[in-house]
């Protein structure tokens, strides 16, 4: 059920089999599998998964290629709730490992906020990442196009940019390297440094060899209409015509609550085994938080793997579903 | 495009970037990703993927939980063809590694059959498995219920059997062990050996301790109506009432064409790396053929991984899409 201020108290003394942090694609898939294994689960979601911003999913098997990310999320949420899963709109502030359980402390409501603690045997970190966007004075101007033809994922949307005149908006020299992969799809590339980094000699030469343009001044605004970006106005008033954009400015990882566990990482991504288990035996990580390909279908599969492994773990300690102690005071 | 007798000749001298053997969930997902990477691909399918038999997919994120497997396959096929992929209804008989390419020899048409050879740089083995079913005189009687409430996958359908009186139809003592995992979902279990194997003392005792029944005679037929099995008639005429069934008789692996490559295996399953690559650098294996969880969403993710790795490999050898030699005589 959807947890609200009114019914929250029913879950205070409860021990969930698993709490899933994040109600995006990975978290919902995990939740559906957990409930179908007759395990008890709570998905804590603070809203707006990365896929929420995708206007069209072009590569998810089974859905027509113009399906918006939010439709997939809506369907998954409904599916999960139908299976009796619990869902809470809240922000996870802190998690304490109590040995057999985790205490998950959340903040509920932005206004009049209050704190609540939930308990679970297993944790699935599915809180994902969110892409950094060009930081303009008027952010509405960015949101008008991001997720439409101003893309954030080359693997997802390279095809949409094929043969087009594409602007790449990078924040560092290493993030600018994506232009060379984009070169697979189109030769018409302009790199915008947004004045954020210096282009070294080697990179400059390589860009020139490939026939790519470089623009090193700041951006005033994106131009376009009906969510279709068709160019950029620079700070000096110059207008550069474009047919699509690719933002390569890195991502914020939503995983502060995991920091104290000192989990094994590769760069910013969590290292997991084949069943999505992290270096902590009762913490799983799925989707964009973990090492691997950041794709919707991969996150959905990760959810199935993590839930299955948790079921296998729990099956070893209980003869059958429902026979685990569910009340905190029973510990 | 759909390859037919009429247009086949257009592809004879062609080198595909990848040939995908099998047009099930994994193969279609791989095909969609390959085409979106602007690679050329051919899916060779002999029809009737394992998911074709699933009347309802209950755990695939994004689809309502009563979606039949064949709807997912139909949508995926349409999606793939829209992206310009080639598809051929045929059976792969033999594959020869020619060094930089594979020669894939297929048999087309069951009646008036003829052979044709296609070429590709990479191979994706997505031909899956098919479950062995009880071998009754009247197989129609089995097909009437298999995929409805006569299940073949505990992970997929344990939930559907919860608290029900379930018959488990096993073919060996080790395959009978699934009853103990099924015990998580229901205590009302009858094991049918179908007269195919002896129940040893240890297994017999464990079954009795759990309160499970054992029936060791052969089955005459399944009983029921409207595709809902409600019992079994034994050879001696006895009728056993049931509410659901689980078949555990192993699976046939559709991978004869891979035998000569001597790929690394674990049991009957191919060992792959994180990107679904087998021990042969240009052969990938996805879905049920490989080691891992046999789930629709996992197969779909595997397809994304294999296609992405093939794109990465090819990108190293070509500056951009379309710049690879595509004609056999150009080698």
């Amino acid at each position: 059920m959807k947890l609200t201020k009114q019914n929250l108290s029913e879950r205070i003394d409860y021990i969930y089999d698993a709490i899933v942090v994040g109600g995006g694609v990975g978290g919902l898939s995990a939740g559906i599998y957990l409930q179908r294994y007759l395990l008890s689960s709570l998905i804590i979601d603070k809203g707006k998964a990365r896929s929420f911003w995708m206007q069209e999913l072009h590569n998810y098997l089974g859905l027509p290629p113009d399906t918006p990310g939010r439709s997939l999320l809506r369907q998954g949420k409904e599916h999960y709730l139908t299976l009796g899963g619990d869902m809470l709109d809240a922000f996870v502030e802190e998690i304490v490992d109590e040995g057999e359980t985790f205490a998950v402390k959340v903040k509920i409501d932005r206004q009049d906020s209050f704190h609540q603690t939930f308990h679970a045997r297993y944790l699935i970190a599915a809180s994902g990442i969110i892409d950094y966007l060009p930081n303009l004075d008027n952010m509405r101007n960015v949101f008008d196009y991001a997720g439409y033809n101003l893309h954030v994922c080359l693997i997802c949307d390279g095809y949409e940019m094929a043969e087009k005149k594409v602007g790449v908006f990078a924040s560092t020299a290493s993030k600018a390297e994506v232009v060379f992969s984009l070169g697979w799809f189109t030769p018409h590339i302009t790199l915008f440094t947004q004045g954020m980094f210096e282009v070294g000699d080697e990179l400059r030469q390589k860009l020139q060899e490939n026939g790519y343009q470089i623009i090193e001044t700041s951006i005033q605004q994106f131009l376009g209409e009906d969510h279709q970006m068709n160019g950029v106005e620079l700070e000096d008033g110059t207008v550069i015509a474009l047919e699509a954009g690719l933002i390569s400015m890195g991502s914020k990882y939503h995983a502060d609550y995991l920091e104290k566990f000192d989990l094994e990482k590769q760069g910013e991504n969590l290292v997991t085994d084949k069943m999505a288990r992290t270096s902590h035996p009762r913490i799983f990580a799925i989707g964009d938080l973990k090492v691997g390909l950041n794709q919707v279908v991969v996150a959905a599969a990760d959810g199935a793997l993590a839930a299955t492994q948790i079921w296998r773990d729990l099956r070893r300690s209980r003869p059958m579903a429902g026979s685990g102690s569910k009340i905190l005071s029973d510990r």
Side-chain angles (χ1 to χ4, degrees), chain A:
Chain A
M1 68 184 180
K2 261 188 111 98
L3 299 193
T4 61
K5 268 185 208 178
Q6 283 67 45
N7 62 21
L8 257 185
S9 58
E10 295 179 36
R11 296 299 193 248
I12 298 312
D13 291 328
Y14 201 79
I15 302 177
Y16 288 99
D17 288 317
I19 284 180
V20 182
V21 185
V25 167
L28 289 170
S29 181
I32 289 166
Y33 270 82
L34 288 167
Q35 291 299 125
R36 289 183 58 84
Y37 287 129
L38 304 177
L39 299 173
S40 59
S41 69
L42 165 65
I43 296 179
I44 302 173
D45 186 37
K46 63 154 199 46
K48 309 268 192 304
R50 194 181 189 213
S51 50
F52 180 86
W53 301 101
M54 299 173 192
Q55 297 306 320
E56 295 182 346
L57 289 177
H58 293 285
N59 54 17
Y60 189 79
L61 186 77
L63 297 181
D66 56 355
T67 307
R70 57 185 182 282
S71 298
L72 174 65
L73 294 170
R74 196 188 314 120
Q75 169 63 45
K77 205 162 164 174
E78 192 186 310
H79 191 163
Y80 173 69
L81 289 169
T82 308
L83 291 164
D86 281 351
M87 194 135 200
L88 173 71
D89 181 1
F91 179 77
V92 172
E93 284 203 333
E94 200 196 351
I95 297 184
V96 177
D97 188 351
E98 304 176 306
E100 296 212 345
T101 54
F102 293 103
V104 178
K105 190 174 162 190
V106 306
K107 188 168 124 181
I108 302 172
D109 277 357
R110 294 201 181 190
Q111 278 131 359
D112 299 324
S113 69
F114 61 103
H115 289 86
Q116 191 58 262
T117 300
F118 297 90
H119 293 85
R121 294 185 178 80
Y122 286 83
L123 198 69
I124 299 181
S127 36
I129 63 176
I130 195 76
D131 308 280
Y132 290 121
L133 301 176
N135 189 16
L136 304 188
D137 290 341
N138 174 18
M139 283 308 289
R140 265 228 69 79
N141 173 254
V142 181
F143 296 136
D144 268 351
Y145 306 109
Y148 293 86
N149 71 334
L150 184 53
H151 304 286
V152 293
C153 168
L154 177 66
I155 284 184
C156 314
D157 296 312
Y159 185 82
E160 309 303 319
M161 298 184 266
E163 297 301 322
K164 290 195 175 148
K165 190 163 161 45
V166 180
V168 173
F169 304 90
S171 56
T172 68
S174 74
K175 290 191 168 50
E177 296 279 336
V178 74
V179 295
F180 304 112
S181 302
L182 177 61
W184 177 267
F185 296 96
T186 179
H188 316 298
I189 298 175
T190 303
L191 171 66
F192 293 82
T193 68
Q194 311 175 83
M196 292 178 76
F197 62 97
E198 296 290 320
V199 178
D201 291 343
E202 202 178 330
L203 176 57
R204 190 175 300 274
Q205 194 186 330
K206 206 171 153 197
L207 289 165
Q208 278 164 354
E209 280 167 10
N210 280 276
Y212 303 158
Q213 309 297 313
I214 318 175
I215 289 178
E216 289 166 275
T217 49
S218 297
I219 292 164
Q220 184 60 40
Q221 62 170 334
F222 291 98
L223 305 171
E225 54 186 338
D226 285 343
H227 301 296
Q228 291 302 300
M229 190 268 290
N230 59 26
V232 162
E233 184 188 337
L234 304 180
E235 278 203 330
D236 62 10
T238 316
V239 169
I240 314 286
L242 296 170
E243 292 167 303
L246 176 65
I247 295 170
S248 181
M249 300 179 64
S251 315
K252 177 173 168 47
Y253 283 66
H254 294 307
D256 290 350
Y257 60 92
L258 289 178
E259 234 159 62
K260 72 160 104 162
F261 292 102
D262 202 23
L263 302 173
E264 189 188 346
K265 284 187 184 180
Q266 199 173 299
E268 289 196 78
N269 293 96
L270 292 163
V271 172
T272 58
D273 70 9
K274 287 200 167 185
M275 296 304 282
R277 199 195 298 261
T278 69
S279 54
H280 185 302
R282 292 182 295 113
I283 302 180
F284 290 73
I286 65 179
D288 292 350
L289 280 187
K290 67 176 235 310
V291 176
L293 200 63
N294 291 2
Q295 288 289 287
V296 165
V297 73
V298 172
D302 286 346
L305 297 175
T308 299
Q309 190 56 48
I310 289 172
W311 173 54
R312 286 174 178 166
D313 279 14
L314 286 170
R315 223 170 61 201
R316 263 176 232 128
S317 59
R318 296 182 203 163
M320 65 181 295
S323 56
S325 80
K326 294 261 171 129
I327 305 300
L328 203 56
S329 55
D330 281 1
R331 280 189 295 186

